[in-house]
Amino acid sequence: CPTPADLRPLNGTRVCAQLYADNSPYYDQCCAGDVLVVPPDSDMPYMPRGWSARASSLVVGTRCDLTVWSRKGKKGTSRHFGS
């Protein structure tokens, strides 16, 4: 997986989090598959099409926090992640 400080695309734009579709019990094979990029100051009450219950690993960038909910529309149990 990339380190939190590595979450910068080639053009230098800041990225606050990346969610990955594939995971593995082997650390060097984690953070694989499709990637959902979360830009700074994003507010997404619903996961994009095809991502519901699909994210298996994530990395949160430095100076960012990511909050996720167990139900759509920011309902249910929430969990906070930081770098």
Side-chain angles (χ1 to χ4, degrees), residues 3-17:
T3 67
D6 290 338
L7 293 188
R8 288 186 179 272
L10 296 176
N11 67 3
T13 304
R14 187 165 173 238
V15 173
C16 272

Side-chain angles (χ1 to χ4, degrees), residues 13-30:
T13 304
R14 187 165 173 238
V15 173
C16 272
Q18 289 185 172
L19 285 70
Y20 298 89
D22 296 341
N23 198 358
S24 170
Y26 301 103
Y27 184 76
D28 62 338
Q29 296 175 15
C30 288

Side-chain angles (χ1 to χ4, degrees), residues 22-71:
D22 296 341
N23 198 358
S24 170
Y26 301 103
Y27 184 76
D28 62 338
Q29 296 175 15
C30 288
C31 299
D34 293 335
V35 178
L36 176 62
V37 175
V38 181
D41 301 319
S42 295
D43 185 10
M44 302 168 74
Y46 300 93
M47 289 297 282
R49 182 177 293 277
W51 275 94
S52 181
R54 188 168 173 217
S56 63
S57 50
L58 60 90
V59 176
V60 178
T62 56
R63 298 178 313 198
C64 287
D65 292 309
L66 177 70
T67 303
V68 296
W69 286 266
S70 61
R71 301 202 178 274

